Amino acid sequence: MRTRRTVLVLSAGTLCLAGCGSPGDGSNGGLAVETADASVAPGETARIEVQASSVGVLTWQLAEIPERWQVTHKGFKPEPTAVRESYPPELVWDPVVDSVTGTLAVAVPNDASPGEYALAVEAGTDAFDERVVSEATVTVEGAA
């Protein structure tokens, strides 16, 4: 059993330290958030996969994404206990959950200009705590 406990402690420590090399990297104790980038053509929907741990509040901001682009949340497991329709919108889990996964769907209009657009996703244990941020890039590809 001693070996198993040692492996578990080392694994937990490694998970907590993963990515701790720079400020704003998405790690603050157990609180973390990670996003995946997406590439789409104009008129398609970009799907940003989100994973977070020790989270009570998750929100997103349209950093470089035009305001008229619609961003919706889909398939979060577990489902949030509340959704605050504010700006920025907030998904709330009460009590704080160990792990959450889901998708942010970004509807890219037909007339979107090719380029890279940032979507900042923030997580916190509650609305007033320090937040961690992961920035996803939505790449809109030009016409072939």
Side-chain angles (χ1 to χ4, degrees), residues 57-80:
V57 177
L58 186 76
T59 187
W60 55 93
Q61 294 184 353
L62 305 174
E64 297 173 2
I65 291 182
E67 284 185 34
R68 65 186 179 92
W69 292 19
Q70 200 65 18
V71 181
T72 56
H73 60 91
K74 299 185 179 291
F76 275 85
K77 301 280 189 226
E79 290 186 22

PDB file of all heavy atoms in Angstrom, residues 57-80:
ATOM      1  N   VAL A  57     -17.890  28.650 -10.733  1.00  0.00           N
ATOM      2  CA  VAL A  57     -18.384  29.617 -11.713  1.00  0.00           C
ATOM      3  C   VAL A  57     -17.511  29.538 -12.966  1.00  0.00           C
ATOM      4  O   VAL A  57     -16.289  29.511 -12.866  1.00  0.00           O
ATOM      5  CB  VAL A  57     -18.336  31.060 -11.150  1.00  0.00           C
ATOM      6  CG1 VAL A  57     -18.771  32.057 -12.209  1.00  0.00           C
ATOM      7  CG2 VAL A  57     -19.184  31.191  -9.915  1.00  0.00           C
ATOM      8  N   LEU A  58     -18.161  29.497 -14.121  1.00  0.00           N
ATOM      9  CA  LEU A  58     -17.449  29.493 -15.394  1.00  0.00           C
ATOM     10  C   LEU A  58     -18.081  30.577 -16.262  1.00  0.00           C
ATOM     11  O   LEU A  58     -19.309  30.686 -16.346  1.00  0.00           O
ATOM     12  CB  LEU A  58     -17.578  28.135 -16.084  1.00  0.00           C
ATOM     13  CG  LEU A  58     -16.767  27.935 -17.339  1.00  0.00           C
ATOM     14  CD1 LEU A  58     -15.292  27.701 -16.977  1.00  0.00           C
ATOM     15  CD2 LEU A  58     -17.282  26.756 -18.124  1.00  0.00           C
ATOM     16  N   THR A  59     -17.247  31.384 -16.881  1.00  0.00           N
ATOM     17  CA  THR A  59     -17.743  32.466 -17.725  1.00  0.00           C
ATOM     18  C   THR A  59     -16.830  32.628 -18.929  1.00  0.00           C
ATOM     19  O   THR A  59     -15.731  32.082 -18.960  1.00  0.00           O
ATOM     20  CB  THR A  59     -17.838  33.781 -16.906  1.00  0.00           C
ATOM     21  OG1 THR A  59     -18.479  34.767 -17.699  1.00  0.00           O
ATOM     22  CG2 THR A  59     -16.489  34.270 -16.464  1.00  0.00           C
ATOM     23  N   TRP A  60     -17.285  33.365 -19.914  1.00  0.00           N
ATOM     24  CA  TRP A  60     -16.467  33.618 -21.098  1.00  0.00           C
ATOM     25  C   TRP A  60     -16.664  35.052 -21.544  1.00  0.00           C
ATOM     26  O   TRP A  60     -17.686  35.665 -21.292  1.00  0.00           O
ATOM     27  CB  TRP A  60     -16.808  32.657 -22.229  1.00  0.00           C
ATOM     28  CG  TRP A  60     -18.255  32.645 -22.605  1.00  0.00           C
ATOM     29  CD1 TRP A  60     -18.861  33.393 -23.568  1.00  0.00           C
ATOM     30  CD2 TRP A  60     -19.284  31.854 -22.014  1.00  0.00           C
ATOM     31  NE1 TRP A  60     -20.196  33.118 -23.609  1.00  0.00           N
ATOM     32  CE2 TRP A  60     -20.490  32.172 -22.663  1.00  0.00           C
ATOM     33  CE3 TRP A  60     -19.308  30.899 -21.000  1.00  0.00           C
ATOM     34  CZ2 TRP A  60     -21.701  31.580 -22.338  1.00  0.00           C
ATOM     35  CZ3 TRP A  60     -20.513  30.314 -20.667  1.00  0.00           C
ATOM     36  CH2 TRP A  60     -21.688  30.643 -21.333  1.00  0.00           C
ATOM     37  N   GLN A  61     -15.620  35.569 -22.184  1.00  0.00           N
ATOM     38  CA  GLN A  61     -15.660  36.930 -22.697  1.00  0.00           C
ATOM     39  C   GLN A  61     -15.205  36.927 -24.141  1.00  0.00           C
ATOM     40  O   GLN A  61     -14.274  36.206 -24.504  1.00  0.00           O
ATOM     41  CB  GLN A  61     -14.768  37.846 -21.865  1.00  0.00           C
ATOM     42  CG  GLN A  61     -15.282  38.012 -20.461  1.00  0.00           C
ATOM     43  CD  GLN A  61     -14.457  38.997 -19.666  1.00  0.00           C
ATOM     44  OE1 GLN A  61     -13.421  39.466 -20.107  1.00  0.00           O
ATOM     45  NE2 GLN A  61     -14.923  39.316 -18.483  1.00  0.00           N
ATOM     46  N   LEU A  62     -15.825  37.759 -24.927  1.00  0.00           N
ATOM     47  CA  LEU A  62     -15.560  37.817 -26.354  1.00  0.00           C
ATOM     48  C   LEU A  62     -14.332  38.660 -26.653  1.00  0.00           C
ATOM     49  O   LEU A  62     -14.389  39.580 -27.455  1.00  0.00           O
ATOM     50  CB  LEU A  62     -16.774  38.391 -27.079  1.00  0.00           C
ATOM     51  CG  LEU A  62     -18.095  37.684 -26.827  1.00  0.00           C
ATOM     52  CD1 LEU A  62     -19.227  38.440 -27.498  1.00  0.00           C
ATOM     53  CD2 LEU A  62     -18.025  36.257 -27.312  1.00  0.00           C
ATOM     54  N   ALA A  63     -13.218  38.343 -26.024  1.00  0.00           N
ATOM     55  CA  ALA A  63     -11.990  39.128 -26.147  1.00  0.00           C
ATOM     56  C   ALA A  63     -11.835  39.751 -27.531  1.00  0.00           C
ATOM     57  O   ALA A  63     -11.942  40.958 -27.690  1.00  0.00           O
ATOM     58  CB  ALA A  63     -10.788  38.263 -25.787  1.00  0.00           C
ATOM     59  N   GLU A  64     -11.595  38.960 -28.537  1.00  0.00           N
ATOM     60  CA  GLU A  64     -11.406  39.461 -29.897  1.00  0.00           C
ATOM     61  C   GLU A  64     -12.542  39.032 -30.820  1.00  0.00           C
ATOM     62  O   GLU A  64     -12.490  39.282 -32.019  1.00  0.00           O
ATOM     63  CB  GLU A  64     -10.082  38.953 -30.464  1.00  0.00           C
ATOM     64  CG  GLU A  64      -8.883  39.456 -29.704  1.00  0.00           C
ATOM     65  CD  GLU A  64      -7.597  38.798 -30.179  1.00  0.00           C
ATOM     66  OE1 GLU A  64      -7.615  37.987 -31.119  1.00  0.00           O
ATOM     67  OE2 GLU A  64      -6.554  39.104 -29.595  1.00  0.00           O
ATOM     68  N   ILE A  65     -13.545  38.383 -30.259  1.00  0.00           N
ATOM     69  CA  ILE A  65     -14.664  37.905 -31.073  1.00  0.00           C
ATOM     70  C   ILE A  65     -15.702  39.020 -31.158  1.00  0.00           C
ATOM     71  O   ILE A  65     -16.081  39.590 -30.141  1.00  0.00           O
ATOM     72  CB  ILE A  65     -15.253  36.610 -30.471  1.00  0.00           C
ATOM     73  CG1 ILE A  65     -14.229  35.488 -30.638  1.00  0.00           C
ATOM     74  CG2 ILE A  65     -16.577  36.260 -31.119  1.00  0.00           C
ATOM     75  CD1 ILE A  65     -14.664  34.153 -30.137  1.00  0.00           C
ATOM     76  N   PRO A  66     -16.163  39.366 -32.366  1.00  0.00           N
ATOM     77  CA  PRO A  66     -17.166  40.423 -32.505  1.00  0.00           C
ATOM     78  C   PRO A  66     -18.418  40.123 -31.672  1.00  0.00           C
ATOM     79  O   PRO A  66     -18.839  38.969 -31.566  1.00  0.00           O
ATOM     80  CB  PRO A  66     -17.484  40.410 -34.009  1.00  0.00           C
ATOM     81  CG  PRO A  66     -16.255  39.837 -34.639  1.00  0.00           C
ATOM     82  CD  PRO A  66     -15.737  38.824 -33.660  1.00  0.00           C
ATOM     83  N   GLU A  67     -19.001  41.176 -31.092  1.00  0.00           N
ATOM     84  CA  GLU A  67     -20.155  41.021 -30.205  1.00  0.00           C
ATOM     85  C   GLU A  67     -21.334  40.333 -30.870  1.00  0.00           C
ATOM     86  O   GLU A  67     -22.100  39.641 -30.204  1.00  0.00           O
ATOM     87  CB  GLU A  67     -20.604  42.390 -29.677  1.00  0.00           C
ATOM     88  CG  GLU A  67     -19.705  42.931 -28.606  1.00  0.00           C
ATOM     89  CD  GLU A  67     -20.238  44.225 -28.021  1.00  0.00           C
ATOM     90  OE1 GLU A  67     -21.469  44.382 -27.917  1.00  0.00           O
ATOM     91  OE2 GLU A  67     -19.413  45.075 -27.674  1.00  0.00           O
ATOM     92  N   ARG A  68     -21.491  40.499 -32.162  1.00  0.00           N
ATOM     93  CA  ARG A  68     -22.663  39.903 -32.821  1.00  0.00           C
ATOM     94  C   ARG A  68     -22.539  38.389 -33.020  1.00  0.00           C
ATOM     95  O   ARG A  68     -23.508  37.728 -33.364  1.00  0.00           O
ATOM     96  CB  ARG A  68     -22.945  40.610 -34.142  1.00  0.00           C
ATOM     97  CG  ARG A  68     -21.880  40.442 -35.173  1.00  0.00           C
ATOM     98  CD  ARG A  68     -22.195  41.312 -36.412  1.00  0.00           C
ATOM     99  NE  ARG A  68     -21.160  41.174 -37.400  1.00  0.00           N
ATOM    100  CZ  ARG A  68     -21.179  40.284 -38.388  1.00  0.00           C
ATOM    101  NH1 ARG A  68     -22.204  39.484 -38.514  1.00  0.00           N
ATOM    102  NH2 ARG A  68     -20.180  40.214 -39.242  1.00  0.00           N
ATOM    103  N   TRP A  69     -21.348  37.836 -32.798  1.00  0.00           N
ATOM    104  CA  TRP A  69     -21.189  36.388 -32.876  1.00  0.00           C
ATOM    105  C   TRP A  69     -21.847  35.778 -31.653  1.00  0.00           C
ATOM    106  O   TRP A  69     -21.595  36.192 -30.522  1.00  0.00           O
ATOM    107  CB  TRP A  69     -19.723  35.992 -32.922  1.00  0.00           C
ATOM    108  CG  TRP A  69     -19.007  36.390 -34.179  1.00  0.00           C
ATOM    109  CD1 TRP A  69     -19.377  37.338 -35.092  1.00  0.00           C
ATOM    110  CD2 TRP A  69     -17.772  35.858 -34.634  1.00  0.00           C
ATOM    111  NE1 TRP A  69     -18.439  37.432 -36.082  1.00  0.00           N
ATOM    112  CE2 TRP A  69     -17.444  36.531 -35.823  1.00  0.00           C
ATOM    113  CE3 TRP A  69     -16.910  34.892 -34.143  1.00  0.00           C
ATOM    114  CZ2 TRP A  69     -16.289  36.252 -36.544  1.00  0.00           C
ATOM    115  CZ3 TRP A  69     -15.763  34.615 -34.852  1.00  0.00           C
ATOM    116  CH2 TRP A  69     -15.461  35.285 -36.048  1.00  0.00           C
ATOM    117  N   GLN A  70     -22.669  34.787 -31.852  1.00  0.00           N
ATOM    118  CA  GLN A  70     -23.400  34.148 -30.761  1.00  0.00           C
ATOM    119  C   GLN A  70     -22.551  33.031 -30.132  1.00  0.00           C
ATOM    120  O   GLN A  70     -22.015  32.187 -30.832  1.00  0.00           O
ATOM    121  CB  GLN A  70     -24.698  33.568 -31.327  1.00  0.00           C
ATOM    122  CG  GLN A  70     -25.768  33.299 -30.347  1.00  0.00           C
ATOM    123  CD  GLN A  70     -26.302  34.555 -29.675  1.00  0.00           C
ATOM    124  OE1 GLN A  70     -26.133  35.677 -30.120  1.00  0.00           O
ATOM    125  NE2 GLN A  70     -26.946  34.354 -28.565  1.00  0.00           N
ATOM    126  N   VAL A  71     -22.440  33.047 -28.785  1.00  0.00           N
ATOM    127  CA  VAL A  71     -21.734  31.994 -28.057  1.00  0.00           C
ATOM    128  C   VAL A  71     -22.731  31.340 -27.111  1.00  0.00           C
ATOM    129  O   VAL A  71     -23.378  32.023 -26.311  1.00  0.00           O
ATOM    130  CB  VAL A  71     -20.541  32.550 -27.252  1.00  0.00           C
ATOM    131  CG1 VAL A  71     -19.817  31.415 -26.521  1.00  0.00           C
ATOM    132  CG2 VAL A  71     -19.570  33.299 -28.160  1.00  0.00           C
ATOM    133  N   THR A  72     -22.877  30.015 -27.213  1.00  0.00           N
ATOM    134  CA  THR A  72     -23.797  29.280 -26.343  1.00  0.00           C
ATOM    135  C   THR A  72     -23.046  28.130 -25.672  1.00  0.00           C
ATOM    136  O   THR A  72     -22.020  27.674 -26.178  1.00  0.00           O
ATOM    137  CB  THR A  72     -24.996  28.723 -27.129  1.00  0.00           C
ATOM    138  OG1 THR A  72     -24.513  27.910 -28.208  1.00  0.00           O
ATOM    139  CG2 THR A  72     -25.862  29.843 -27.684  1.00  0.00           C
ATOM    140  N   HIS A  73     -23.569  27.673 -24.552  1.00  0.00           N
ATOM    141  CA  HIS A  73     -22.972  26.535 -23.847  1.00  0.00           C
ATOM    142  C   HIS A  73     -23.797  25.294 -24.128  1.00  0.00           C
ATOM    143  O   HIS A  73     -25.026  25.346 -24.244  1.00  0.00           O
ATOM    144  CB  HIS A  73     -22.873  26.814 -22.340  1.00  0.00           C
ATOM    145  CG  HIS A  73     -24.198  27.061 -21.695  1.00  0.00           C
ATOM    146  ND1 HIS A  73     -24.948  26.060 -21.135  1.00  0.00           N
ATOM    147  CD2 HIS A  73     -24.904  28.198 -21.531  1.00  0.00           C
ATOM    148  CE1 HIS A  73     -26.059  26.562 -20.652  1.00  0.00           C
ATOM    149  NE2 HIS A  73     -26.066  27.869 -20.881  1.00  0.00           N
ATOM    150  N   LYS A  74     -23.091  24.159 -24.265  1.00  0.00           N
ATOM    151  CA  LYS A  74     -23.766  22.902 -24.597  1.00  0.00           C
ATOM    152  C   LYS A  74     -23.102  21.735 -23.875  1.00  0.00           C
ATOM    153  O   LYS A  74     -21.886  21.698 -23.735  1.00  0.00           O
ATOM    154  CB  LYS A  74     -23.693  22.631 -26.106  1.00  0.00           C
ATOM    155  CG  LYS A  74     -24.362  23.699 -26.955  1.00  0.00           C
ATOM    156  CD  LYS A  74     -24.343  23.302 -28.408  1.00  0.00           C
ATOM    157  CE  LYS A  74     -25.007  24.319 -29.281  1.00  0.00           C
ATOM    158  NZ  LYS A  74     -26.426  24.424 -29.126  1.00  0.00           N
ATOM    159  N   GLY A  75     -23.922  20.811 -23.422  1.00  0.00           N
ATOM    160  CA  GLY A  75     -23.445  19.517 -22.937  1.00  0.00           C
ATOM    161  C   GLY A  75     -22.520  19.555 -21.742  1.00  0.00           C
ATOM    162  O   GLY A  75     -21.636  18.699 -21.641  1.00  0.00           O
ATOM    163  N   PHE A  76     -22.668  20.505 -20.832  1.00  0.00           N
ATOM    164  CA  PHE A  76     -21.799  20.518 -19.662  1.00  0.00           C
ATOM    165  C   PHE A  76     -22.201  19.408 -18.703  1.00  0.00           C
ATOM    166  O   PHE A  76     -23.378  19.227 -18.403  1.00  0.00           O
ATOM    167  CB  PHE A  76     -21.814  21.888 -18.964  1.00  0.00           C
ATOM    168  CG  PHE A  76     -20.836  22.845 -19.581  1.00  0.00           C
ATOM    169  CD1 PHE A  76     -21.172  23.595 -20.694  1.00  0.00           C
ATOM    170  CD2 PHE A  76     -19.553  22.972 -19.063  1.00  0.00           C
ATOM    171  CE1 PHE A  76     -20.264  24.455 -21.277  1.00  0.00           C
ATOM    172  CE2 PHE A  76     -18.629  23.828 -19.644  1.00  0.00           C
ATOM    173  CZ  PHE A  76     -18.997  24.572 -20.752  1.00  0.00           C
ATOM    174  N   LYS A  77     -21.219  18.645 -18.287  1.00  0.00           N
ATOM    175  CA  LYS A  77     -21.405  17.537 -17.338  1.00  0.00           C
ATOM    176  C   LYS A  77     -20.520  17.778 -16.142  1.00  0.00           C
ATOM    177  O   LYS A  77     -19.315  17.927 -16.326  1.00  0.00           O
ATOM    178  CB  LYS A  77     -21.035  16.192 -17.985  1.00  0.00           C
ATOM    179  CG  LYS A  77     -21.826  15.875 -19.208  1.00  0.00           C
ATOM    180  CD  LYS A  77     -23.181  15.347 -18.863  1.00  0.00           C
ATOM    181  CE  LYS A  77     -23.817  14.856 -20.145  1.00  0.00           C
ATOM    182  NZ  LYS A  77     -25.144  15.230 -20.364  1.00  0.00           N
ATOM    183  N   PRO A  78     -21.015  17.852 -14.945  1.00  0.00           N
ATOM    184  CA  PRO A  78     -22.440  17.910 -14.632  1.00  0.00           C
ATOM    185  C   PRO A  78     -23.042  19.229 -15.104  1.00  0.00           C
ATOM    186  O   PRO A  78     -22.326  20.206 -15.346  1.00  0.00           O
ATOM    187  CB  PRO A  78     -22.466  17.818 -13.105  1.00  0.00           C
ATOM    188  CG  PRO A  78     -21.161  18.364 -12.669  1.00  0.00           C
ATOM    189  CD  PRO A  78     -20.179  18.004 -13.741  1.00  0.00           C
ATOM    190  N   GLU A  79     -24.367  19.233 -15.240  1.00  0.00           N
ATOM    191  CA  GLU A  79     -25.055  20.447 -15.649  1.00  0.00           C
ATOM    192  C   GLU A  79     -24.915  21.518 -14.575  1.00  0.00           C
ATOM    193  O   GLU A  79     -24.887  21.202 -13.380  1.00  0.00           O
ATOM    194  CB  GLU A  79     -26.539  20.162 -15.879  1.00  0.00           C
ATOM    195  CG  GLU A  79     -26.804  19.325 -17.101  1.00  0.00           C
ATOM    196  CD  GLU A  79     -28.284  19.175 -17.383  1.00  0.00           C
ATOM    197  OE1 GLU A  79     -29.081  20.015 -16.914  1.00  0.00           O
ATOM    198  OE2 GLU A  79     -28.638  18.207 -18.068  1.00  0.00           O
ATOM    199  N   PRO A  80     -24.823  22.784 -14.966  1.00  0.00           N
ATOM    200  CA  PRO A  80     -24.755  23.845 -13.959  1.00  0.00           C
ATOM    201  C   PRO A  80     -26.055  23.898 -13.165  1.00  0.00           C
ATOM    202  O   PRO A  80     -27.121  23.568 -13.691  1.00  0.00           O
ATOM    203  CB  PRO A  80     -24.552  25.110 -14.781  1.00  0.00           C
ATOM    204  CG  PRO A  80     -24.819  24.756 -16.194  1.00  0.00           C
ATOM    205  CD  PRO A  80     -24.762  23.283 -16.325  1.00  0.00           C
TER     206      PRO A  80
END
